[in-house]
Amino acid sequence: MIDPSFPAVPGHPGDDGPAAVRQAETTGRQIVVLADADDDAGVEWGRAGIREVADSRDFAAGGVPPETLDEAQATVFAQLGIAVVTADPGQVAVLQSAESPGRRVLSVSPELVHHVLQDVLDYARAYRDGVDDAVERMLHARDRNADGPGLRAAARFEDTAQATWGIQAVRADSSSCSGRGIGVAVLDTGLDLEHPDFAGRTVTAQSFVPGEQAQDGHGHGTHCVGTSCGPRSPSTGPRYGVAYEADIFVGKVLSDAGSGTDGGILAGIDWAVSNACPVISMSLGADVMQAHPPYSAAGARALEQGSLIIAAAGNNADRRAGRPGFVGAPANSPEIMAVGALDQELAMAYFSARSLPGRGGQVDIAGPGYQVLSAWPMPTRYRSISGTSMATPHVAGIAALWAEATGRRGLELWATLCRESDRLLLPSVDVGSGLCLAPQEGA
Amino acid sequence: MTHVSVTVGDDHRGSLDGVVANLRASGLQVDQVLGTLGIVTGSAPDGALDALRGVEGVASVDAQLTHRLPPPDAAVQ
């Protein structure tokens, strides 16, 4: 929904028109993007009547001098696979023709003229607009209709007969990915191995708690496995699981009483990395502010080996009382991804911890973590609970979908999750890069 | 006795066995050697922690944290 109190397109009052519809300033030259080529195959410039071609490889590390760019009909930047070309529409058509021998051309676009972005007056004007905007936003906060263009309307998600609100919010229900072939390790209180919703799934279970089996005697672990890897079509109730064809690795590192130590958790991480799980979900933490060196080392070494650790930011906030909390261990290690929790209106859940000042203590991304329906040990079967513990397996499931869709692992997978997340009108100290989203067709 | 995690530096991950032997000699009762991560868990008398930190190849020695979930019937977990 577009709020009528804001202009549909950013522009300054008194300007002759909105900035977005101004004609772009061009040079008359074309920017040609070449297809990737293993060999050094060249473009057949001559076919398009282009004779004077400069190649960046013919110049020293100082780069191509501006005179060359001006004089040559085509300048090829070999490292980038991009050329700047002076060509008329007929020549462009020849270059783009599929029948053209030699290296293929991916795109041709007009070269734009770029300017230093703003003069001081523009800056002051933008600053004033920003303050005005903030004031408007606060005034409108109650009706939550203050989202501008290009941002997700202030929807209120609800559980339906088809899917939980969380599954809808992360767009898992419209993704063609299922996490097939991707190992997702959930390090928690185990799983109810007899739960009918996991019948027929590939489940590898291991306990790292002395004297206890991987069978979940608490419920927290079953809930987290449910959200990250639950079925697409449970026999009863809505879909609540993201990566419904992922290979499930259940590492029990918290006891049936809900407690565990670093020793068991590190052993669980070691096991998950040894089993080449691209995604490790950890809905656990201790309320300590300092990053804990073993988790930083474990996170870094897991990433090196293609495993991304995703951990809960923590529930130590009470925003209703003005306490924003802080990201605890292990999520406050820079090498571990920290997840904050959102409610059905994509606002912060009141308990979700805020970034610490300093390196590593930040929230990296957010997921649905309020009134989340998922699996619970039988005979209860399903339960709705809240926490950054519930947001974390949403992100882990989405990570599995991206791992399947792109083949990316480790830091590349981390970057993909952040790049593809939905930016929110919330402080980055609370939500990082925003709401995690599932890959969609054509993305 | 303190439960500890010993993080081995990147330059000694390839020679973990030697580091573990020296840790034992310095008073560490080893629970697990996590080769994939280059971390050794175990316990040691409080007085031995500095000796463990002095073992060649050890990046850090940290007391283990305890992680605790709320009870199963809590609304926020």
Side-chain angles (χ1 to χ4, degrees):
Chain A
M1 187 188 296
I2 293 171
D3 187 319
S5 66
F6 294 98
V9 178
H12 300 304
D15 281 358
D16 44 3
V21 297
R22 280 194 204 127
Q23 202 68 41
E25 200 180 330
T26 57
T27 63
R29 291 190 297 205
Q30 309 293 324
I31 305 293
V32 176
V33 179
L34 309 171
D36 289 334
D38 294 333
D39 55 6
D40 206 23
V43 175
E44 304 243 329
W45 300 106
R47 274 174 57 95
I50 295 166
R51 314 257 168 246
E52 294 159 47
V53 180
D55 191 308
S56 63
R57 283 170 294 190
D58 297 336
F59 299 88
V64 179
E67 305 80 50
T68 306
L69 256 176
D70 269 350
E71 287 159 16
Q73 282 179 284
T75 306
V76 181
F77 298 102
Q79 298 293 338
L80 304 178
I82 291 176
V84 180
V85 182
T86 304
D88 61 34
Q91 292 173 303
V92 168
V94 173
L95 285 176
Q96 282 186 295
S97 152
E99 290 92 64
S100 224
R103 194 164 166 185
R104 210 158 55 80
V105 168
L106 287 183
S107 73
V108 179
S109 14
E111 183 185 24
L112 303 179
V113 178
H114 300 264
H115 298 280
V116 173
L117 281 178
Q118 288 173 330
D119 63 22
V120 175
L121 262 182
D122 277 343
Y123 178 80
R125 201 153 48 179
Y127 179 79
R128 183 197 61 196
D129 290 350
V131 172
D132 287 351
D133 183 72
V135 171
E136 280 293 302
R137 204 161 286 294
M138 285 180 228
L139 292 174
H140 283 75
R142 273 160 303 169
D143 60 17
R144 292 189 174 281
N145 271 337
D147 289 339
L151 294 159
R152 193 93 80 94
R156 180 178 164 93
F157 289 97
E158 285 177 359
D159 291 356
T160 64
Q162 286 72 44
T164 61
W165 80 265
I167 289 293
Q168 299 167 56
V170 300
R171 300 183 190 161
D173 51 345
S174 55
S175 178
S176 60
C177 297
S178 63
R180 189 187 192 84
I182 304 296
V184 176
V186 180
L187 306 184
D188 212 290
T189 60
L191 170 69
D192 178 5
L193 298 162
E194 302 300 318
H195 200 290
D197 286 12
F198 298 96
R201 292 290 294 277
T202 309
V203 178
T204 308
Q206 176 86 37
S207 175
F208 300 93
V209 177
E212 293 192 16
Q213 300 297 307
Q215 175 66 24
D216 184 10
H218 183 285
H220 190 270
T222 299
H223 203 274
C224 291
V225 174
T227 298
S228 52
C229 304
R232 186 184 202 180
S233 310
S235 53
T236 166
R239 173 176 171 188
Y240 58 85
V242 176
Y244 56 87
E245 289 189 309
D247 296 333
I248 302 169
F249 286 78
V250 176
K252 180 164 182 147
V253 300
L254 301 175
S255 69
D256 290 340
S259 71
T261 62
D262 285 348
I265 294 162
L266 291 166
I269 296 172
D270 194 82
W271 170 75
V273 174
S274 303
N275 279 283
C277 292
V279 182
I280 301 174
S281 184
M282 302 203 310
S283 293
L284 52 86
D287 287 337
V288 296
M289 289 196 179
Q290 297 76 21
H292 202 46
Y295 287 117
S296 295
R301 292 166 186 177
L303 284 171
E304 273 171 23
Q305 295 169 76
S307 298
L308 170 61
I309 304 179
I310 300 169
N315 302 333
N316 57 30
D318 189 348
R319 292 159 183 271
R320 299 167 304 185
R323 287 193 289 111
F326 62 90
V327 179
N332 61 12
S333 282
E335 299 81 359
I336 290 180
M337 193 172 213
V339 181
L342 298 166
D343 69 14
Q344 293 93 328
E345 297 180 359
L346 303 185
M348 285 321 290
Y350 70 86
F351 48 76
S352 187
R354 174 168 287 177
S355 296
L356 279 161
R359 181 169 179 262
Q362 67 268 61
V363 177
D364 294 295
I365 198 165
Y370 195 66
Q371 297 175 343
V372 173
L373 178 85
S374 183
W376 200 260
M378 298 301 281
T380 304
R381 192 158 186 166
Y382 302 115
R383 245 194 97 193
S384 187
I385 49 176
S386 305
T388 51
S389 283
M390 283 67 244
T392 301
H394 275 106
V395 177
I398 295 296
L401 304 193
W402 281 109
E404 175 199 3
T406 63
R408 292 176 195 145
R409 300 290 185 269
L411 271 178
E412 277 199 327
L413 184 57
W414 181 324
T416 301
L417 282 167
C418 290
R419 189 179 75 180
E420 302 292 345
S421 59
D422 198 16
R423 270 55 181 173
L424 303 172
L425 279 167
L426 292 171
S428 66
V429 288
D430 289 334
V431 296
S433 60
L435 171 66
C436 70
L437 290 182
Q440 306 293 316
E441 211 67 62
Chain B
M1 293 290 269
T2 305
H3 287 277
V4 294
S5 304
V6 179
T7 305
V8 176
D10 280 330
D11 47 348
H12 282 76
R13 284 170 65 192
S15 51
L16 208 52
D17 290 348
V19 178
V20 171
N22 291 335
L23 284 169
R24 284 188 208 275
S26 301
L28 182 70
Q29 213 171 303
V30 174
D31 285 339
Q32 296 195 78
V33 177
L34 307 173
T36 305
L37 300 180
I39 293 175
V40 183
T41 60
S43 49
D46 292 354
L49 298 185
D50 279 339
L52 297 181
R53 290 191 178 99
V55 169
E56 195 189 344
V58 168
S60 75
V61 177
D62 300 278
Q64 291 194 17
L65 304 174
T66 299
H67 305 255
R68 208 176 300 280
L69 294 175
D73 57 356
V76 175
Q77 303 208 13

